[in-house]
Amino acid sequence: IHRAVVSIIVDDQNQVSVNRFEYLVFFLRYASEPNVHSSKRTVRGSEVTGCFAGGVVRESSEKRWQENRVLASLPERDRDRLIPQLEILTLFAKETVHESAEEMHYVYFPLDCIVVLISSVDTKASVEVGLIGNEGMVGAPILMGAKQSTNQALILVEGKALRLPAAVLRKEAKRSSRMREVMLAYTNALLAQSAQLAACHRYHTPKERLARL
């Protein structure tokens, strides 16, 4: 484990690429398990066909929305239209919410789980470009017209989330300018986080990068 954490790779231009220290906790927890995989569950009897992450929990989402800061920031009248459409479910560690270039049918609002966004060049070269907890939402690009994901969204810490159909989000965001403002403000913060991570990966020392854990 020590070697995995402190190893570095020097390329032909003598540029140093430090291994992804942000995944130290993830590595320690799952080092003895098989590679990360998607064990999504098939949704039947729905207009959307395919497999989606998480197990549905038989629990009302009427009050749980308060645990997500994006939903809590919405005007009451806008939130009241979303609540009946929200479905609470458990997202299991090592599942993927969506893969890169996969169509996004749902938006997820984490309650106590953590989702990491990963950008990959190939199967052996990937890097973290975002981290999402109960302050945000998974699937923010939908607000800007995107239908397919640009990154893999991997569940880092198991927990519950609220799921909303993408079609509902698009409809309600067009209807309410305030909802658009709140969600786009978060999207902008997520983009800023991604830019900061890019700078950290390139210029920060291993010790500085570990500080964020």
Side-chain angles (χ1 to χ4, degrees):
I1 292 174
H2 177 72
R3 287 196 301 271
V5 172
V6 301
S7 62
I8 58 175
I9 302 171
V10 182
D11 63 18
D12 292 338
Q13 282 102 16
N14 293 319
Q15 294 178 336
V16 179
S17 175
V18 182
N19 283 357
R20 300 200 316 276
F21 296 95
E22 291 82 0
Y23 296 109
L24 174 63
V25 175
F26 184 74
F27 176 79
L28 292 176
R29 183 173 180 182
Y30 296 113
S32 61
E33 298 188 14
N35 292 335
V36 171
H37 62 284
S38 172
S39 53
K40 298 180 181 179
R41 289 136 176 86
T42 302
V43 177
R44 302 184 185 280
S46 170
E47 294 180 1
V48 177
T49 58
C51 296
F52 304 98
V56 177
V57 178
R58 295 188 179 279
E59 177 183 343
S60 172
S61 61
E62 185 175 351
K63 299 296 183 182
R64 296 299 300 270
W65 60 263
Q66 300 175 22
E67 299 173 41
N68 181 275
R69 290 160 63 181
V70 169
L71 292 175
S73 299
L74 296 177
E76 184 176 358
R77 64 181 181 277
D78 294 335
R79 187 170 54 242
D80 287 347
R81 293 197 301 271
L82 293 183
I83 289 176
Q85 309 286 339
L86 293 170
E87 184 179 32
I88 189 168
L89 65 163
T90 298
L91 298 180
F92 301 100
K94 299 181 65 182
E95 279 191 347
T96 54
V97 174
H98 54 67
E99 298 287 351
S100 178
E102 185 176 80
E103 186 171 356
M104 296 177 289
H105 296 291
Y106 292 96
V107 176
Y108 295 81
F109 298 91
L111 301 179
D112 54 12
C113 62
I114 298 177
V115 178
V116 61
L117 302 180
I118 300 174
S119 179
S120 300
V121 177
D122 55 44
T123 57
K124 296 182 179 180
S126 59
V127 66
E128 176 195 345
V129 294
L131 201 62
I132 303 171
N134 70 343
E135 81 291 341
M137 55 187 283
V138 181
I142 288 173
L143 291 166
M144 297 178 285
K147 292 186 177 181
Q148 295 180 322
S149 61
T150 55
N151 304 302
Q152 179 192 53
L154 175 70
I155 300 157
L156 187 62
V157 177
E158 180 176 317
K160 290 183 173 58
L162 294 171
R163 183 173 69 180
L164 181 72
V168 174
L169 179 68
R170 292 189 187 100
K171 176 183 176 181
E172 294 300 335
K174 288 181 180 179
R175 181 176 181 178
S176 169
S177 60
R178 179 55 184 161
M179 180 184 293
R180 289 198 304 275
E181 289 175 3
V182 170
M183 293 188 172
L184 287 174
Y186 167 71
T187 303
N188 184 58
L190 188 62
L191 290 173
Q193 179 194 150
S194 182
Q196 183 63 46
L197 282 171
C200 290
H201 290 318
R202 178 64 181 88
Y203 293 108
H204 285 176
T205 65
K207 184 177 182 180
E208 289 171 332
R209 291 170 61 186
L210 282 169
R212 65 191 293 268
L213 295 176

